Amino acid sequence: MPYYIGDVIKDQKYLVARTPEEFRKGGIEVSVNTRVVKMDAGGRVVQLSDGKELPYDYLVFATGSKAQHLGIAGEDLEGVFTLKTLADTLRIKAYLAGRSCRKAVIVGGGFIGLEMSEAFSALGLETTILDVVERPVMRWDPEFSKTVLEELNRHDVSFSGGTRTRAIEKGTDFPLRVVTDQGELEADVVLMSVGIKPEVELARAFDLRLGKTGAIEVNSYQQTSKEGIYAVGDCCEVYHRVSKRWVYLPLGDVANKQGRLAGRNIGGDPMSFPGVVGAQSFKIFSLEVAAAGLGEKDASDAGYQPVSAIIWGTSIAKIMPGAKKLGIKLVADKTTGQLLGAQSIGENGAVSRINALSVALWSGMNIDDIANLDLAYSPFFSGPWDVIHIAAQVLKK
Amino acid sequence: MPYYIGDVIKDQKYLVARTPEEFRKGGIEVSVNTRVVKMDAGGRVVQLSDGKELPYDYLVFATGSKAQHLGIAGEDLEGVFTLKTLADTLRIKAYLAGRSCRKAVIVGGGFIGLEMSEAFSALGLETTILDVVERPVMRWDPEFSKTVLEELNRHDVSFSGGTRTRAIEKGTDFPLRVVTDQGELEADVVLMSVGIKPEVELARAFDLRLGKTGAIEVNSYQQTSKEGIYAVGDCCEVYHRVSKRWVYLPLGDVANKQGRLAGRNIGGDPMSFPGVVGAQSFKIFSLEVAAAGLGEKDASDAGYQPVSAIIWGTSIAKIMPGAKKLGIKLVADKTTGQLLGAQSIGENGAVSRINALSVALWSGMNIDDIANLDLAYSPFFSGPWDVIHIAAQVLKK
């Protein structure tokens, strides 16, 4: 079955269907199943795989990213998937629906791997996550990774850290066998979630300059190294306001902002993209996990002198029914007191705290101000001293 | 029954009991049921109602606030209450427990009045709120007051706006009769929640300078007009960072911060209080209601040129189960684009948004930045464009 325009599927009620015809009604021509095969940046023309030539005033690269592969044997076996597009999801669903499955193996303990462990569990599959590193979600402090690990185990998801996957083979008791340096596991389905990388094949072929991260280099107006050519989304870099570096941060909200910015600039209402602070969140079973800014290592790399503090408090006033444990970590510069990073984890309120701290990171706020921030206190929503205040006070000491 | 030290009651499991003896163990002398009757600011001595004299190096006024009264007949009848202290709560509970009650009248539709309407409803009382103004929680936009009103009605709480209470009398079918300019209502219990005012009787007697608001004037170190004398909490003013004025904002979290600051300054670790942005929240049945900064009128009074926008979105990505309607209002200065105020209302996520916007108000951030803020997006917690972004974009237009 063919999919059109970002894999938008008509029969999925939660998606707005957009066929090429619908775009055409809006005056937008969409060519599906068509590749750009040649580009003349000087003459501002691209040549398409169907032989047509398309002249342009402005060209936008929105080629996105693609799932990484380990390059091991068996990644192409039936029942081995990556998850990048909606089409991938439907393929996984169709595969699972077609047979009685009991076991899943996930290679890679990042966001996608963790979120899929919850999805597989919900389907009743005994699920194991394998990762070469020692713990899930390495961006977060080991203390918070431990909390994620406990949450996984509480839901019967196994995590096997320090485990390198060597190959995937046909299995004996199950369709597939995953061979690792720590032994073998059999399973009905294997998800490879070892990260994504920018899709820059076309950009490279057409000599657009790439940044150190391997993604397309852009300036704050989303312009690439060639005049009239813009890039947005997962295929390009983005400016990090705290590290003051161009980084690769392929996130949906960032892509949305870049697309809008490029549109404004092309449309003659210029605006520069102010950058990001690396705010991120995900949910795993009952846990909210969120972060923004830099961890100690990235902060050191960026020339700061990071100091940090972790505290555990409660999501709402601790005297209230429904108060949940909430962890928060702050990283600041020892010399200036500037907030450099924040992480939070808990059943409730972690994302809320990180959003407030993202604004503080955006503004370059220091720890003294954060220790006294005016937040909307009510016992239903926090203690009179919120975990944000307490963490800042502890770090100050 | 006597109560000690902020009405901390031993048999209430949710409170930490602190008797004078416990304070003494920590080296702190506490005299209860004792008034300061005379003060010699020059000689740094206060004279107590028990005849003792107490010399001091530093004196801290933390006299708090008191419930306002309308000064009408019948406010002292049995069954008519104000709610300011824990002792008040216990008195109300004891009164209700002692008889079979069916109807409650609340005079005043502020935070306390609204929250108590929920408490009375939970006890099965038919509850009516009377207010001289047309709508509840006047700080919020009329559109949001309407949402509060709908929530009250959905839980069978009546709100009668534009109603002036003239007197309270003994009733015929019920113990009490509330006489208003719109007619009469009978009830078992009447709560007077018409606001609070700073307790400055002692400060006035001792010639401390009061501010325009009627509360004790302090500087950023919490020092009053007399050397060695500090004031903190509900009895004094606080600096508002957006209006750049000293205001009266008697809130628990602000009082906590001022107390800590005064302690640091007295203890020789000086720090100035950076002020507040007027962040506030409350819960009414299923609704979160929050605000920070200024509304249009206060903004105009403070010399700004306010423009505003209200949008309705969802608390989390609208494709997700559990997404709830969320309203947000932003006020900004027309000339500079500076954010001046924010309000939010919804079953979920209103306080979270206001906390992020409180940080933006604190930093003096403008609408362009807010339209592009980096927040921790995941469909579980927001859309890729959060309601904050959308409101800022709408206001920008």
Side-chain angles (χ1 to χ4, degrees):
Chain A
M1 49 183 162
Y3 299 115
Y4 302 104
I5 309 156
D7 289 322
V8 172
I9 310 299
K10 263 197 165 164
D11 61 3
Q12 301 288 322
K13 70 171 176 16
Y14 45 84
L15 289 168
V16 179
R18 289 275 168 82
T19 60
E21 289 66 35
E22 284 180 275
F23 275 97
R24 251 169 235 136
K25 275 182 209 155
I28 298 167
E29 192 63 33
V30 175
S31 301
V32 293
N33 298 321
T34 307
R35 294 184 65 83
V36 172
V37 290
K38 208 171 153 186
M39 183 175 89
D40 174 4
R44 300 206 169 189
V45 170
V46 289
Q47 192 181 311
L48 306 182
S49 52
D50 60 8
K52 281 190 201 143
E53 286 203 335
L54 210 56
Y56 68 83
D57 293 318
Y58 298 98
L59 182 67
V60 178
F61 270 72
T63 48
S65 55
K66 55 186 174 188
Q68 281 188 303
H69 291 88
L70 291 182
I72 57 174
E75 281 185 282
D76 55 349
L77 285 174
E78 193 188 4
V80 181
F81 297 94
T82 56
L83 175 53
K84 177 66 183 64
T85 65
L86 182 58
D88 292 333
T89 310
L90 297 176
R91 273 191 289 268
I92 296 169
K93 285 182 83 165
Y95 175 84
L96 295 175
R99 63 212 77 208
S100 153
C101 292
R102 290 190 290 121
K103 286 195 182 192
V105 167
I106 295 173
V107 181
F111 294 178
I112 300 296
L114 291 179
E115 293 188 339
M116 281 301 289
S117 77
E118 184 174 344
F120 284 147
S121 288
L123 293 172
L125 274 69
E126 193 186 318
T127 302
T128 303
I129 302 172
L130 310 177
D131 205 316
V132 285
V133 294
E134 286 300 327
R135 54 193 179 83
V137 288
M138 288 289 284
R139 179 177 179 177
W140 279 262
D141 192 274
E143 192 168 329
F144 293 164
S145 295
K146 197 169 147 267
T147 307
V148 170
L149 208 51
E150 287 163 2
E151 185 73 1
L152 291 175
N153 294 340
R154 212 157 63 83
H155 291 86
D156 296 322
V157 172
S158 306
F159 181 87
S160 176
T163 302
R164 188 169 297 276
T165 300
R166 299 284 193 205
I168 305 166
E169 305 168 347
K170 295 216 175 221
T172 311
D173 300 327
F174 290 82
L176 296 162
R177 182 188 304 123
V178 181
V179 182
T180 80
D181 60 356
Q182 307 290 320
E184 300 177 354
L185 283 100
E186 293 208 344
D188 297 285
V189 60
V190 175
L191 179 74
M192 305 298 292
S193 57
V194 295
I196 58 171
K197 56 185 176 186
E199 175 54 272
V200 292
E201 205 185 324
L202 197 64
R204 194 180 274 132
F206 296 155
D207 263 348
L208 293 190
R209 199 181 301 145
L210 304 184
K212 279 180 197 160
T213 68
I216 300 173
E217 186 183 292
V218 289
N219 64 15
S220 292
Y221 296 88
Q222 301 303 133
Q223 291 167 317
T224 68
S225 57
K226 284 202 199 293
E227 216 192 314
I229 303 183
Y230 292 72
V232 299
D234 285 12
C235 66
C236 72
E237 296 184 327
V238 64
Y239 181 72
H240 196 297
R241 293 171 68 94
V242 186
S243 69
K244 302 191 194 314
R245 292 177 178 187
W246 289 85
V247 298
Y248 185 56
L249 202 68
L251 295 171
D253 56 334
V254 176
N256 265 279
K257 289 182 186 112
Q258 291 176 325
R260 186 166 176 271
L261 256 287
R264 278 187 62 159
N265 290 324
I266 291 170
D269 181 17
M271 182 177 177
S272 77
F273 188 59
V276 298
V277 298
Q280 247 177 321
S281 64
F282 71 98
K283 182 179 159 293
I284 180 71
F285 295 105
S286 318
L287 277 185
E288 292 184 12
V289 189
L294 309 175
E296 283 98 330
K297 197 190 162 302
D298 286 340
S300 291
D301 289 350
Y304 294 107
Q305 286 191 283
V307 287
S308 71
I310 289 186
I311 65 128
W312 290 90
T314 50
S315 55
I316 62 175
K318 63 173 178 262
I319 57 165
M320 300 296 287
K324 303 284 184 185
K325 210 174 140 190
L326 184 68
I328 190 161
K329 174 180 178 171
L330 296 182
V331 180
D333 184 65
K334 201 176 174 177
T335 316
T336 62
Q338 185 193 339
L339 181 71
L340 301 175
Q343 301 174 7
S344 188
I345 191 166
E347 282 186 42
N348 212 301
V351 171
S352 160
R353 268 57 176 208
I354 291 302
N355 281 343
L357 290 166
S358 291
V359 184
L361 283 163
W362 183 284
S363 310
M365 204 175 266
N366 69 45
I367 282 291
D368 277 331
D369 270 2
I370 291 164
N372 285 293
L373 272 177
D374 187 16
L375 301 171
Y377 163 65
S378 154
F380 296 102
F381 310 121
S382 73
W385 294 105
D386 188 66
V387 285
I388 289 176
H389 300 121
I390 298 167
Q393 287 161 16
V394 169
L395 181 51
K396 179 73 186 170
K397 282 180 195 157
Chain B
M1 48 184 163
Y3 298 115
Y4 302 105
I5 308 154
D7 289 322
V8 172
I9 310 301
K10 263 195 167 165
D11 61 2
Q12 300 287 323
K13 69 170 175 21
Y14 46 83
L15 287 168
V16 179
R18 291 274 168 83
T19 60
E21 288 66 35
E22 285 180 274
F23 275 99
R24 253 171 233 135
K25 276 182 209 153
I28 298 166
E29 192 63 32
V30 176
S31 301
V32 293
N33 297 322
T34 307
R35 295 185 64 84
V36 172
V37 291
K38 207 172 155 189
M39 182 174 91
D40 174 2
R44 299 205 170 191
V45 171
V46 290
Q47 191 180 312
L48 307 181
S49 52
D50 60 8
K52 282 191 201 143
E53 287 202 335
L54 210 57
Y56 67 83
D57 292 317
Y58 299 98
L59 183 67
V60 178
F61 269 73
T63 49
S65 55
K66 55 187 174 188
Q68 283 189 303
H69 290 89
L70 291 183
I72 57 175
E75 281 184 284
D76 55 349
L77 285 175
E78 193 189 5
V80 182
F81 297 95
T82 56
L83 175 54
K84 176 67 183 59
T85 66
L86 182 57
D88 292 334
T89 310
L90 296 175
R91 273 191 290 269
I92 296 170
K93 285 181 82 166
Y95 175 84
L96 295 175
R99 64 211 77 209
S100 153
C101 293
R102 290 191 290 122
K103 286 195 180 191
V105 167
I106 296 173
V107 181
F111 293 178
I112 300 296
L114 290 180
E115 293 188 338
M116 280 302 289
S117 77
E118 185 174 343
F120 284 146
S121 287
L123 294 172
L125 275 70
E126 193 186 315
T127 302
T128 303
I129 303 172
L130 310 176
D131 205 316
V132 284
V133 294
E134 287 299 329
R135 54 192 178 83
V137 288
M138 289 288 285
R139 179 177 179 177
W140 279 262
D141 191 274
E143 192 167 329
F144 292 164
S145 295
K146 196 168 148 267
T147 308
V148 170
L149 208 50
E150 286 163 2
E151 184 72 1
L152 292 175
N153 294 341
R154 212 157 62 83
H155 291 86
D156 297 322
V157 172
S158 306
F159 179 88
S160 175
T163 302
R164 188 169 297 276
T165 301
R166 300 284 194 205
I168 305 166
E169 305 168 346
K170 296 215 175 223
T172 311
D173 301 325
F174 291 82
L176 297 163
R177 182 187 305 121
V178 181
V179 182
T180 79
D181 60 357
Q182 306 289 321
E184 299 178 354
L185 283 101
E186 293 208 344
D188 297 285
V189 59
V190 175
L191 178 74
M192 305 297 292
S193 56
V194 295
I196 59 171
K197 55 184 175 187
E199 174 54 272
V200 292
E201 204 185 323
L202 197 63
R204 194 179 275 131
F206 297 155
D207 264 347
L208 293 190
R209 199 181 301 145
L210 303 184
K212 279 181 196 160
T213 66
I216 300 173
E217 186 183 291
V218 289
N219 64 16
S220 292
Y221 297 89
Q222 300 304 133
Q223 291 167 315
T224 68
S225 56
K226 282 202 200 291
E227 215 192 315
I229 303 183
Y230 292 74
V232 300
D234 284 12
C235 65
C236 72
E237 297 185 327
V238 64
Y239 181 72
H240 196 298
R241 292 172 68 94
V242 185
S243 69
K244 301 190 195 315
R245 291 175 178 189
W246 289 86
V247 298
Y248 185 55
L249 201 67
L251 295 171
D253 55 334
V254 176
N256 265 279
K257 288 183 187 112
Q258 292 176 325
R260 186 167 176 271
L261 256 287
R264 279 186 62 159
N265 290 325
I266 291 169
D269 180 17
M271 183 177 174
S272 78
F273 189 59
V276 299
V277 297
Q280 246 177 321
S281 65
F282 72 98
K283 183 181 157 291
I284 180 71
F285 296 105
S286 318
L287 277 184
E288 292 184 12
V289 189
L294 309 175
E296 283 97 330
K297 196 188 163 303
D298 286 340
S300 291
D301 289 351
Y304 293 106
Q305 285 191 284
V307 287
S308 71
I310 289 186
I311 65 128
W312 289 90
T314 51
S315 55
I316 62 174
K318 62 172 178 262
I319 57 165
M320 300 295 289
K324 303 282 185 187
K325 209 174 141 189
L326 184 68
I328 189 162
K329 175 179 178 172
L330 296 183
V331 181
D333 183 65
K334 200 175 175 177
T335 315
T336 63
Q338 185 193 339
L339 180 72
L340 301 175
Q343 302 174 7
S344 187
I345 191 166
E347 282 187 41
N348 212 302
V351 171
S352 162
R353 267 57 176 208
I354 291 302
N355 281 342
L357 291 166
S358 291
V359 183
L361 285 163
W362 184 283
S363 309
M365 204 175 266
N366 68 47
I367 282 291
D368 277 330
D369 270 1
I370 290 163
N372 284 293
L373 271 178
D374 187 15
L375 302 172
Y377 162 64
S378 154
F380 296 102
F381 310 120
S382 72
W385 293 106
D386 188 66
V387 285
I388 289 177
H389 300 122
I390 298 167
Q393 287 160 16
V394 169
L395 181 51
K396 178 73 187 174
K397 281 178 195 156

